[in-house]
Amino acid sequence: MDWLTQRCPPLAAQSCLRPGCLSWLLVVMAFILSYPMLRTISLELHSVVTGSYLSGTHSVAFVNCPNEQIAKDIARTILDKKLAACVNILPRASSLYFWKGEIEEATEILLLVKTKTSKIHELSNYIRSIHPFEIPELFSLPIDQGNPLYLKWIEEGVAEN
C-alpha cells in the first residue's frame, strides 16, 4: 500500500485527484466489477480447450407431486417438451410441512429432473402452469461434477432455444 501513497500523496485532507491516480483507480474498479464475467468466460474457454466439464452447466431439479399418475404425466410432458433428458420418479416420500398455519402430513412422489441449468427457468414456469399444487415445490441444484459421458448425454437430450 506504500506504493499507492507514494504515487498519490494526500492533498491536505482531500483524496487524490491527480489524473494518473484517477485512471489507475478506474482500471482497478473496472477489473473488480468485471471479475465475475471474466471468470465465467475464462472457465468456458478452459472447458472448450481442455474438454473438461464446466461446473454448474447442468442441474438436478426436485419436484414433489401428489400421486404417481400426476408424477408420470408431468415427467412425460417435461420430456416431450425437451426440457430435460431424464426424470426419475421416486415413490412415497413422506412430507411434513406448514400450510396455512397448520402442520400437514402427506405422501408425495418426488421427481428428479436432469437438465441444463439454462432450462431451469423455463422448466419452473412450465411446472407452475400445469402442477395441481397451489405452490408446487420446485428447486434445483447445479451439478458440480459427474460422468462426462452422462453429462454429454444430458446436453444432447435437452432442446436448444
Side-chain angles (χ1 to χ4, degrees), residues 65 69-78 111 127 130-132:
C65 297
Q69 187 57 54
I70 289 172
K72 285 181 180 179
D73 291 345
I74 290 174
R76 186 165 302 283
T77 59
I78 288 169
L111 301 180
I127 287 175
I130 64 166
H131 204 286

Side-chain angles (χ1 to χ4, degrees), residues 30-120:
F31 178 78
I32 290 170
L33 293 174
S34 65
Y35 177 75
M37 180 184 64
L38 294 173
R39 183 177 185 278
T40 301
I41 291 169
S42 66
L43 285 173
E44 287 179 14
L45 183 60
H46 179 266
S47 177
V48 168
V49 170
T50 65
S52 63
Y53 177 67
L54 180 59
S55 180
T57 302
H58 302 92
S59 290
V60 177
F62 297 77
V63 180
N64 271 357
C65 297
N67 61 53
E68 191 171 351
Q69 187 57 54
I70 289 172
K72 285 181 180 179
D73 291 345
I74 290 174
R76 186 165 302 283
T77 59
I78 288 169
L79 293 171
D80 286 342
K81 291 185 166 295
K82 300 279 191 196
L83 294 174
C86 175
V87 180
N88 297 115
I89 301 173
L90 305 180
R92 298 190 48 86
S94 294
S95 298
L96 293 157
Y97 55 92
F98 278 107
W99 183 248
K100 298 184 179 180
E102 300 290 326
I103 296 176
E104 300 287 334
E105 186 172 345
T107 300
E108 298 174 322
I109 308 300
L110 178 62
L111 301 180
L112 298 179
V113 182
K114 280 62 142 280
T115 189
K116 293 179 187 177
T117 302
S118 62
K119 288 290 189 178
I120 292 296

Side-chain angles (χ1 to χ4, degrees), residues 4-5 7-26:
L4 182 61
T5 56
R7 183 161 166 88
C8 299
L11 298 174
Q14 294 181 6
S15 62
C16 177
L17 297 176
R18 292 190 343 212
C21 292
L22 288 176
S23 298
W24 190 86
L25 185 60
L26 289 174

